[in-house]
Amino acid sequence: MVSVRSVVDRVGPTLLHALQVPEESPAVGDVVIAEPGNTLAAGDLVLGVAITETSDAAELVKLSASKGAAAVLLKPPLAAKPSVKRAAKSADIALIEVRSATSWAQLVWLLRTVLDALADESDALEDGGGPGSGDLFRLADAVASVVDAPVTIEDTNSRVLAYSARQDLTDSARVSTIMGRRIPDDVLARFRSRGVFRELSRGRQTIFVPAQRDGTLPRLIVPIRMGGELLGSMWAVVAGPVSDERAAAFADAAPVVALHLLRRRAHTDAQRRVSAELLRAVLEGKASPRKAIAELDLSEEPHRVVVIEVSGGDGRDDEGLRLALLERISQGVGRRPVATELGGVLYAVVPDGDGWDELRAALEALPASRRGGTPRAAAGSACAIGELATSRAQADEALGLLRAKLVPGRVVVFDEAWTALSLHRGATAASTAKVAELGPLGLLRAHDEAHESGYVDTLYQWLRYPGDPRAAAKELRIHPNTLRYRMRRLLDLVPLDLDDPDVRLALITQLVSLRWS
C-alpha cells in the first residue's frame, strides 16, 4: 500500500508540505489534474492546477473527498486558507501544499515516478525482492545515510535513475535535476567546464566540486564502475569539504550500486527481448492487438511503422550503430519509441500526430555517421494496432525508393510519396511484361550503348515536358538547341510519329519501366 505520507516524504519538503494527513486515508492510486471532464476515483492525488479562487478550492476538496480521493494538492495561498483547511478537516481528506515555484507539469511526472518506485518497493517485499526501480531508490536512501547528504544515482548520460528521500540540503540545480530527470544543460556545462566528467571517465575514487557563484552547493561525486566499465555515478550535495572517512564510505557504496545496475540492466534486457519478440509478431500480423496494446504499452490511437536503416559503410558493427541511433532519436522525443531489429534494420512504432512529427524531426536532423553511413528512414501510413503489418509493408516499400535513389532526401513517408510509388509499381509491372522490348525503343538503347549518344534520356525528358524544350534541356543540362538537334537525329534513326498521342503514351510507359522499376 502506498500512503499519502510516504509520497510526501519521498518527494520531500522542498516541493511538498503536508498541511493535513488523516490517521487513515485511502491508498494512493494515480495522479489526476482537476479539470472539467476528468473523472475522480478512489485513491487519486488531485492537483488543483487551474484553481484560483478560495471557494473553488474548498469545493474541490469536498468533491475529491466524496469520490474517495487520497489527497488534494494546491499552491499557496489557497492551500493555507482557513476555509480550505476547514473543508479538508471536515471531509477527512489529506491537504498538501505545493511550493509556489514548482512546475505542475514536472510535478505530475515526479509524482508518478515516486508512485512507481513505492509500488515496486511493495511488490519487491511481497515477492521476495525483484530488480525494480524501488530497489535503487532504497539504495539511494541507504547511501545518503552513509554519506550524511542527499544523493542522486545517475547513468552515463546524466539521467537520474533514483534519488534519496532526504531533502534537508538542496539547491536549485538538484531540484531541477530531480524534476527534469537529468542534469539541466546549463548546470551540465558548468560541471563539464570544471573537468568533472573527464575525472569520472578516468576512474577517480571521489571527486569534490566546490560551491559555485550561482549558488550551486558543493558536490561529492563517485563513479560507478564494474569490470572497467563506467555504469554511472553518484552525486551527493554537501555543505563543504568532506572528511576522508565520509568520502571513503561514500566510495565504498559504489560496488553495491554497480551490482544493482548490472542486475537491473540484465532484467531490462530480458524484458526488452520479450517486447521485441512480441513487436516482431505484431509487424508480421501474428499477434493479438489487445495483447500488443497491453504488453507494449501502446495506445489505441493510429500508429505508424517507421523503418530505419543505417550502415557504417563496411557492414561492421551495424548493430551497435542501430542501437546508438535509437538512443539518439529517443532524446527529446517524449516517450521512447517501441522498437526492434528485423532483417538488419530497425523498426519503430510511434503514435501518429505529435509522436511521429517529433521522431521525423529527430531523424531529419541526424548527421551522417563518421564512417560514411547515412541513416535513412521510411514511414508507413497511420493504421490501427491490428493493421501494423500493412504499415510495415508500406514502410519497406518506401525505403526501397530511398535505396534506389528514386526520391530525394533521407526520410520518406508512404502517404506523401504516392506519385513515386505509382510510377514504381507501374514500372515494375511493365518490366515484368517486358514492355520495353517492344517497338523501336530497343534500337535507341543499342545506339546509346554503342555511341553514348543519350537519345533515350533525351526522348524521356522531351516527353515529360511536352512543348517546353527549355525545361527538358535544363533536366539534361544541355542547351535547348542541343536538345532539338538530338531529337532530329533520333527521329532519323527510328521512325516515330510523336504527333500520335497513343505513340507518346506507349513510349512513356516503356521509358518509365526502364527508369522506375
Side-chain angles (χ1 to χ4, degrees), residues 21-83:
V21 178
E23 290 278 338
E24 295 182 6
S25 57
V28 178
D30 198 3
V31 182
V32 175
I33 295 174
E35 290 180 326
N38 275 7
T39 303
L40 303 183
D44 283 345
L45 295 178
V46 183
L47 276 56
V49 174
I51 304 298
T52 57
E53 300 294 331
T54 304
S55 58
D56 292 337
E59 284 301 317
L60 176 62
V61 167
K62 295 173 185 175
L63 174 64
S64 301
S66 69
K67 300 294 184 180
V72 175
L73 286 74
L74 297 166
K75 283 192 175 183
L78 291 176
K81 291 288 186 181
S83 60

Side-chain angles (χ1 to χ4, degrees), residues 471-489:
K474 186 177 180 181
E475 287 288 333
L476 294 165
R477 298 182 180 179
I478 60 176
H479 193 276
N481 289 338
T482 304
L483 174 73
R484 294 185 183 96
Y485 173 75
R486 285 187 184 178
M487 287 300 299
R488 287 197 297 270
R489 291 297 305 271

Side-chain angles (χ1 to χ4, degrees), residues 3 25 163 182 194 242 369 399 426:
S3 67
S25 57
Y163 56 91
R182 70 186 304 273
R194 287 175 169 265
V242 177
S369 80
L399 181 64

Side-chain angles (χ1 to χ4, degrees), residues 423-475:
L423 290 169
H424 179 61
R425 289 185 182 184
T428 301
S431 179
T432 303
K434 299 181 179 181
V435 169
E437 297 179 9
L438 303 173
L441 188 62
L443 291 175
L444 287 181
R445 295 171 66 189
H447 192 276
D448 281 350
E449 289 178 8
H451 305 284
E452 297 183 359
S453 49
Y455 285 165
V456 173
D457 285 343
T458 301
L459 180 59
Y460 178 69
Q461 296 301 341
W462 187 87
L463 289 167
R464 282 189 72 208
Y465 296 96
D468 191 354
R470 289 185 179 277
K474 186 177 180 181
E475 287 288 333

Side-chain angles (χ1 to χ4, degrees), residues 74-221:
L74 297 166
K75 283 192 175 183
L78 291 176
K81 291 288 186 181
S83 60
V84 176
K85 293 172 74 174
R86 282 196 303 270
K89 188 172 183 179
S90 173
D92 201 29
I93 186 173
L95 180 63
I96 312 299
E97 183 177 67
V98 179
R99 300 304 186 190
S100 56
T102 304
S103 160
W104 283 113
Q106 289 180 326
L107 182 61
V108 170
W109 171 85
L110 181 59
L111 287 169
R112 284 180 175 154
T113 301
V114 166
L115 288 178
D116 289 343
L118 291 171
D120 276 353
E121 290 180 11
S122 299
D123 292 344
L125 289 172
E126 291 175 9
D127 300 339
S133 60
D135 290 342
L136 203 53
F137 275 85
R138 287 200 301 278
L139 262 179
D141 287 338
V143 174
S145 64
V146 168
V147 74
D148 194 25
V151 167
T152 56
I153 299 174
E154 302 173 12
D155 66 11
T156 53
N157 293 315
S158 299
R159 289 191 291 252
V160 175
L161 302 176
Y163 56 91
S164 65
R166 290 187 53 168
Q167 307 285 346
D168 50 317
L169 187 64
T170 192
D171 55 20
S172 59
R174 174 176 164 82
V175 172
S176 299
T177 297
I178 292 174
M179 294 292 285
R181 203 164 48 169
R182 70 186 304 273
I183 299 178
D185 290 339
D186 56 336
V187 179
L188 202 62
R190 289 197 293 273
F191 283 129
R192 186 171 283 118
S193 67
R194 287 175 169 265
V196 170
F197 295 97
R198 188 166 56 251
E199 294 295 324
L200 277 173
S201 64
R202 289 175 180 171
R204 286 277 302 276
Q205 190 174 21
T206 57
I207 303 162
F208 177 73
V209 183
Q212 301 181 41
R213 291 181 180 178
D214 65 349
T216 301
L217 294 172
R219 297 292 197 273
L220 185 65
I221 310 165

